[in-house]
Amino acid sequence: MILTAHQPVYLPWLGLFHKIALADLFCYFDIAQYQTKDYNNRNKIKTHSGEIWLSVPVESKDHFEKTVGDIRIVQNGWQRKHFKSIQLSYQKTAYYGDYIEGLEAVLVGQLFETLSELNLKMLRFLMNCLGLKTPIVKASDYAFQGAKSDLVLDMCLQLKADVYIFGAQGRTYADVEKFRASGVEPCFQDYRHPVYRQLHGEFLPYLSVIDLLFNEGPNSHQTLLSGNVTRAELPAGPATSPQGS
């Protein structure tokens, strides 16, 4: 069984969905420590004047003592502001009409008390738009033990994974030999960002996946995989590792 995981992020970028597409199971790692000025509560979209951040306001006091799952959202009308920015930025894209109502239902249709609840709801919606059916489990429903590499390995063992897909940063902390000794093959993703059609001038990478969806519609799944390994190309043994994000 191929496993991957990631902490909750807002309006995720393409690379996360590439990892999910390669996996048999995705662990929503809501027990990670909350990071300020990171992607837990913000991401970028493209406007007529360039990229902008959409940031969810949160109660981040004492965040070093909190997991992402503990972070509460500040209810100050941010949802309508985000939705309006998305409307203005993408209303002239080819597939705006295919996704805007569904996005509105998630983003504006209900109030979310916690950041984790919002991000999980959004993740499920975006996966559905991309045709990704990978099952999701939440780390908070388990009792994973350890820190860094050992924590990831314990997650793999409890979830009975044979292969684990790290992000590229996993190379800096993964104990590869310990994984292999435990019967889990570690793989590392180095995502090659595709170029696709965009409005508003020169192509900008590393935006929220909604930029891809509005511009490429049903071609989005194929586009985010293009130039990267696919599920069928994952290594069968320890000698190689997948390239991706």
Side-chain angles (χ1 to χ4, degrees):
M1 190 268 285
I2 302 169
L3 174 68
T4 196
H6 204 281
Q7 65 190 51
V9 288
Y10 182 58
L11 294 174
W13 77 301
L14 280 60
L16 174 59
F17 295 98
H18 174 254
K19 280 205 307 180
I20 293 173
L22 297 178
D24 296 309
L25 182 67
F26 175 71
C27 184
Y28 186 71
F29 212 73
D30 54 349
I31 62 174
Q33 182 182 313
Y34 174 73
Q35 302 290 326
T36 60
K37 298 181 180 180
D38 199 72
Y39 292 90
N40 297 155
N41 70 314
R42 64 177 188 163
N43 225 306
K44 294 181 288 186
I45 63 170
K46 188 179 182 184
T47 73
H48 68 279
S49 57
E51 62 185 29
I52 64 168
W53 288 97
L54 296 181
S55 299
V56 180
V58 297
E59 299 174 3
S60 58
K61 184 179 179 181
D62 300 322
H63 68 273
F64 288 115
E65 302 171 7
K66 297 179 179 179
T67 68
V68 179
D70 297 326
I71 298 298
R72 300 183 67 82
I73 294 174
V74 175
Q75 307 298 343
N76 64 358
W78 67 271
Q79 291 167 282
R80 279 289 175 191
K81 293 177 183 178
H82 283 203
F83 185 69
K84 187 65 174 179
S85 294
I86 292 169
Q87 283 183 303
L88 292 174
S89 299
Y90 293 107
Q91 59 189 350
K92 294 184 179 180
T93 55
Y95 297 97
Y96 175 81
D98 291 19
Y99 303 108
I100 194 63
E101 289 186 5
L103 183 63
E104 182 179 20
V106 176
L107 190 57
V108 186
Q110 59 185 296
L111 288 178
F112 296 93
E113 293 186 2
T114 69
L115 184 62
S116 181
E117 291 172 340
L118 164 67
N119 288 348
L120 182 56
K121 185 77 171 182
M122 185 65 72
L123 179 67
R124 292 187 186 278
F125 166 72
L126 294 170
M127 285 176 60
N128 185 61
C129 292
L130 292 165
L132 297 176
K133 302 184 183 301
T134 308
I136 300 173
V137 295
K138 294 169 62 177
S140 57
D141 289 336
Y142 296 83
F144 302 140
Q145 301 295 316
K148 295 187 177 180
S149 183
D150 288 340
L151 178 62
V152 177
L153 178 56
D154 190 58
M155 172 181 64
C156 291
L157 295 176
Q158 289 200 41
L159 296 178
K160 303 186 185 308
D162 302 301
V163 176
Y164 181 75
I165 306 173
F166 284 92
Q169 293 182 357
R171 289 191 178 91
T172 65
Y173 69 88
D175 188 334
V176 171
E177 295 308 316
K178 193 170 184 178
F179 266 72
R180 289 176 175 164
S182 300
V184 182
E185 176 59 26
C187 299
F188 300 91
Q189 186 194 34
D190 294 302
Y191 191 63
R192 299 176 182 178
H193 201 295
V195 175
Y196 53 87
R197 57 181 171 179
Q198 281 181 343
L199 296 184
H200 314 310
E202 184 178 350
F203 180 80
L204 295 177
Y206 308 115
L207 304 173
S208 167
V209 74
I210 65 171
D211 185 83
L212 173 65
L213 284 167
F214 282 131
N215 284 292
E216 291 289 348
N219 298 319
S220 295
H221 187 146
Q222 181 178 353
T223 300
L224 73 87
L225 293 176
S226 62
N228 294 280
V229 295
T230 66
R231 181 179 180 80
E233 297 168 322
L234 278 171
T240 58
S241 59
Q243 298 175 3
S245 79

